[in-house]
Amino acid sequence: MEIPSHLIEQLRGSKRVAVLTGAGISAESGVPTFRDAQTGLWAKYSPQELATPKAFKDNPRLVWEWYEWRRELVTRANPNPAHISLVIIEEKVENFTLITQNVDGLHKMAGSQKILELHGNIMRYKCADENIPIREFSAGSEVPPRCPNCGGYVRPDVVWFGENLDESVLKAAWEAAGSCDLFFSIGTSALVQPAASMPYLAIENRAMVVEINLTETPFSTSATYSLKGSAASILPEIVKAAWPESIKF
Ligand code: OAD
């Protein structure tokens, strides 16, 4: 793909870069996306049925087992060249913030430092009743297991539909999106709020906004550049063009 030279100049000269990632960046690590037909997790399961507090209340076992299945997939996954490219960009740029909707922890595993996990992390657990982190629990015969403190259910420490995002994480994400001079929206369908509004805030504040996605999204026509293709191939090309000496893959 031809990477626009203006984008490369902007990246090299940029003081503040913010990046928003979604499930598409982890697709090539073997973690299925949410909304893509056939391969998406939610082609088989409806998110409304599984990722809500009501679902957990109605059928805690189903929701627990679904998350256990996803957790296993994530445990076997490794970061791909797209995750690694973002690590290199963070090393090069003065002020870098990575905002992710992903709960898979692959950015951290790749080596990214400043990560804002908007939707939590699937490898962490919390008490469904007390909303406090749980580090250890006995995986006895009961599914889901019980909180050792209060006997409530253990649940994944992720944000479900209808739940609030962590306020300080969200505030930091808005600040990064509103103050950057270059914003990337990578592998996200740009449908789920509040993340979907962040690239628009960047545009309002005159940032260059670059979308990388296999397909058109509702945001594509608003982007400065909408690059169509896989994140794992386009991001390394961008890094190579900006800093040819720093290729690690
Ligand atoms: P989606 O599954 O909605 O969208 C994935 C996007 O990635 C789509 O636009 C694909 O076209 C694109 N894509 C797929 N493979 C790609 C690749 N190799 N390179 C580039 N793009 C690729 O995932 P999200 O936008 O992350 O929230 O979904 C946002 C939130 O909706 C999730 O965090 C989750 C879900 O409901 C909660 O669970 C609260």
Side-chain angles (χ1 to χ4, degrees):
M1 148 159 321
E2 184 80 18
I3 308 294
S5 56
H6 187 202
L7 157 56
I8 299 305
E9 282 158 31
Q10 181 84 1
L11 179 57
R12 282 207 204 102
S14 190
K15 294 261 181 293
R16 301 178 83 87
V17 175
V19 178
L20 171 68
T21 63
I25 198 166
S26 296
E28 281 151 286
S29 293
V31 183
T33 65
F34 294 100
R35 287 182 184 76
D36 291 334
Q38 279 135 28
T39 55
L41 281 178
W42 292 350
K44 278 189 265 167
Y45 304 95
S46 149
Q48 280 74 14
E49 275 164 22
L50 296 167
T52 68
K54 183 176 183 312
F56 191 65
K57 194 162 171 277
D58 292 350
N59 198 338
R61 186 185 188 108
L62 175 73
V63 174
W64 175 266
E65 286 179 344
W66 185 62
Y67 274 97
E68 281 296 291
W69 174 65
R70 293 185 60 191
R71 199 173 288 121
E72 262 194 52
L73 275 178
V74 165
T75 310
R76 277 184 266 127
N78 287 307
N80 67 55
H83 298 102
I84 295 165
S85 299
L86 294 181
V87 178
I88 299 173
I89 296 176
E90 182 167 18
E91 284 166 7
K92 298 286 179 188
V93 169
E94 208 172 292
N95 190 304
F96 178 91
T97 306
L98 177 48
I99 307 160
T100 187
Q101 297 166 92
N102 298 346
V103 296
D104 57 30
L106 289 179
H107 286 302
K108 189 155 194 223
M109 202 193 284
S112 287
Q113 302 288 320
K114 195 168 167 194
I115 310 167
L116 300 171
E117 289 180 320
L118 290 180
H119 293 163
N121 190 306
I122 198 172
M123 305 312 278
R124 290 194 310 254
Y125 298 91
K126 64 180 182 178
C127 172
D129 290 351
E130 299 173 304
N131 199 30
I132 51 169
I134 296 181
R135 283 186 188 84
E136 277 177 32
F137 56 87
S138 73
S141 54
E142 209 176 348
V143 180
R146 296 280 181 175
C147 167
N149 197 30
C150 76
Y153 281 133
V154 179
R155 59 162 279 184
D157 190 2
V158 299
V159 178
W160 283 332
F161 285 108
E163 292 185 324
N164 291 330
L165 276 64
D166 181 291
E167 244 174 65
S168 59
V169 172
L170 187 56
K171 184 167 175 275
W174 284 128
E175 274 168 16
S179 64
C180 66
D181 41 48
L182 177 57
F183 187 100
F184 287 92
S185 176
I186 304 168
T188 174
S189 54
L191 291 169
V192 174
Q193 296 294 353
S197 296
M198 290 174 186
Y200 292 99
L201 177 66
I203 283 182
E204 270 171 39
N205 287 284
R206 298 172 184 280
M208 175 187 282
V209 180
V210 180
E211 178 179 66
I212 301 174
N213 201 303
L214 286 181
T215 61
E216 194 81 3
T217 75
F219 176 70
S220 301
T221 52
S222 304
T224 320
Y225 297 109
S226 177
L227 307 180
K228 296 283 179 306
S230 102
S233 62
I234 293 179
L235 272 169
E237 281 186 54
I238 291 175
V239 170
K240 265 184 234 169
W243 303 287
E245 74 290 352
S246 67
I247 288 312
K248 289 186 184 166
F249 31 72

